[in-house]
Amino acid sequence: MLKIGDFSKLARISIRMLRHYDEIGLLVPKSTDQATGYRYYSEDQLPMACRITSLKEMGFGLAAIGDIIRNYHNPRELAKFLEIKQSEVYSELQETSRRMRLLETAIERLRKDETSMNYNVTLKTMPQRYVASVRDKIPAYNQEGILWNLLMTEISGLNLQYDETCLSLAVFHDQEHKDSDPDVEIQISVKGSYEDTEHVTFKTVPEVEIASAIYKGSYEHITDANQSVASWVNDNGYEFNGALFCIYHVSPAQTKIPEELVTEVCYPIRLKA
């Protein structure tokens, strides 16, 4: 029989961890002295200790290791555990590679332009939404309020229920900047189902992957934010996949102070083929 200290050295597992394995029933000593509480192990428990260590090095948690040990002599069941972990590790590897690419491009952008990190670009997926929408050509971009007034007027009597997130946004459908008559659509997220009105369309907007940047302040800053997102998209192997839109987290309807406005510039994207 081996004292816990000797077994610890042979198994290369700390005494603290051996005690923990005992407490959770993963590796129980052959005997325990009732008077002193000393734990004793046998040499034939060393292979089990090595299996546990090996499985930990593969990334398995102790709970999963307990399940694996119980099926260790069933090759098919053991293979299932290993294949699942292999898939998880592969996903983690892909995520690590993505983060490395983000870090590399961020460093490269900083080397080119020290102000490039003023706008932090985020990759995320916007879920499917049900919205009230108004789309029309307006005299100029700064007259978007025409559409919002139209929307609010026509939905005022509908007893509308707003979605919990209640996103208010504007989609810019033109392929280029327009000095006049831009094609703009506004949307607000709602719950339920409603009949279209004269100018308001109710529709489901599908899920979309976007690159976005949030900025605070006047809409005069939107060009800089757009440039940061566009550079990020290009540097990280993506391409544009739809019309630019802006989410108004704090809009002119909520504050008259330009410095308090909060806007998120969003570009639908996809990986380059």
Side-chain angles (χ1 to χ4, degrees):
M1 300 289 283
L2 298 169
K3 293 181 180 179
I4 190 171
D6 295 329
F7 189 81
S8 169
K9 292 176 184 177
L10 292 170
R12 295 185 178 182
I13 300 173
S14 70
I15 291 176
R16 180 187 63 82
M17 192 57 69
L18 285 172
R19 287 173 177 159
H20 182 56
Y21 291 170
D22 182 15
E23 291 169 359
I24 64 175
L26 186 60
L27 182 58
V28 178
K30 280 291 183 180
S31 66
T32 302
D33 189 307
Q34 297 301 316
T36 63
Y38 291 163
R39 296 169 171 86
Y40 294 92
Y41 296 81
S42 68
E43 291 83 351
D44 62 10
Q45 288 183 289
L46 286 170
M48 177 66 74
C50 291
R51 290 172 190 169
I52 294 171
T53 300
S54 177
L55 291 167
K56 281 186 66 179
E57 290 175 347
M58 293 180 193
F60 288 101
L62 295 182
I65 289 174
D67 292 335
I68 295 170
I69 293 298
R70 286 188 286 273
N71 293 276
Y72 204 85
H73 297 293
N74 185 330
R76 290 185 179 179
E77 289 299 315
L78 180 59
K80 289 180 183 178
F81 283 110
L82 298 179
E83 287 167 359
I84 291 172
K85 175 54 67 176
Q86 182 185 47
S87 178
E88 291 175 357
V89 171
Y90 180 70
S91 296
E92 291 168 2
L93 178 62
Q94 288 184 309
E95 178 62 17
T96 299
S97 297
R98 186 184 73 85
R99 290 176 179 172
M100 283 296 297
R101 186 169 65 249
L102 292 176
L103 287 167
E104 289 167 357
T105 55
I107 292 169
E108 186 63 27
R109 285 166 57 202
L110 273 174
R111 286 172 178 165
K112 293 177 181 177
D113 180 3
E114 292 182 354
T115 67
S116 65
M117 296 300 286
N118 288 346
Y119 303 97
N120 294 316
V121 180
T122 302
L123 177 67
K124 61 185 178 181
T125 299
M126 283 192 65
Q128 177 177 288
R129 296 168 293 117
Y130 184 64
V131 302
S133 163
V134 174
R135 177 177 177 178
D136 203 352
K137 290 185 176 182
I138 53 179
Y141 292 106
N142 62 4
Q143 296 190 44
E144 191 181 302
I146 294 172
L147 301 179
W148 288 106
N149 289 334
L150 188 58
L151 172 67
M152 301 312 293
T153 298
E154 293 198 9
I155 67 174
S156 61
L158 298 181
N159 194 26
L160 228 62
Q161 282 189 296
Y162 295 109
D163 189 72
E164 284 79 6
T165 55
C166 197
L167 292 179
S168 300
L169 58 85
V171 186
F172 304 96
H173 289 283
D174 294 303
Q175 298 297 312
E176 59 183 352
H177 178 81
K178 301 289 288 293
D179 291 326
S180 62
D181 300 325
D183 182 2
V184 180
E185 176 186 1
I186 62 168
Q187 300 175 356
I188 189 165
S189 304
V190 297
K191 293 192 299 184
S193 180
Y194 306 91
E195 295 292 330
D196 295 346
T197 65
E198 182 180 357
H199 299 98
V200 180
T201 300
F202 293 93
K203 64 181 182 179
T204 298
V205 179
E207 175 184 280
V208 61
E209 187 173 25
I210 63 169
S212 72
I214 296 177
Y215 72 91
K216 186 175 181 180
S218 167
Y219 295 136
E220 295 173 358
H221 300 307
I222 195 169
T223 300
D224 294 335
N226 281 339
Q227 182 177 351
S228 291
V229 178
S231 295
W232 185 96
V233 170
N234 181 66
D235 292 343
N236 285 279
Y238 288 89
E239 61 185 1
F240 299 120
N241 187 35
L244 156 71
F245 60 92
C246 290
I247 300 174
Y248 302 121
H249 295 289
V250 179
S251 71
Q254 297 163 291
T255 181
K256 300 302 180 184
I257 304 173
E259 291 74 19
E260 295 180 351
L261 297 170
V262 179
T263 309
E264 184 172 3
V265 175
C266 306
Y267 283 85
I269 58 171
R270 64 186 174 197
L271 282 169
K272 289 182 180 177

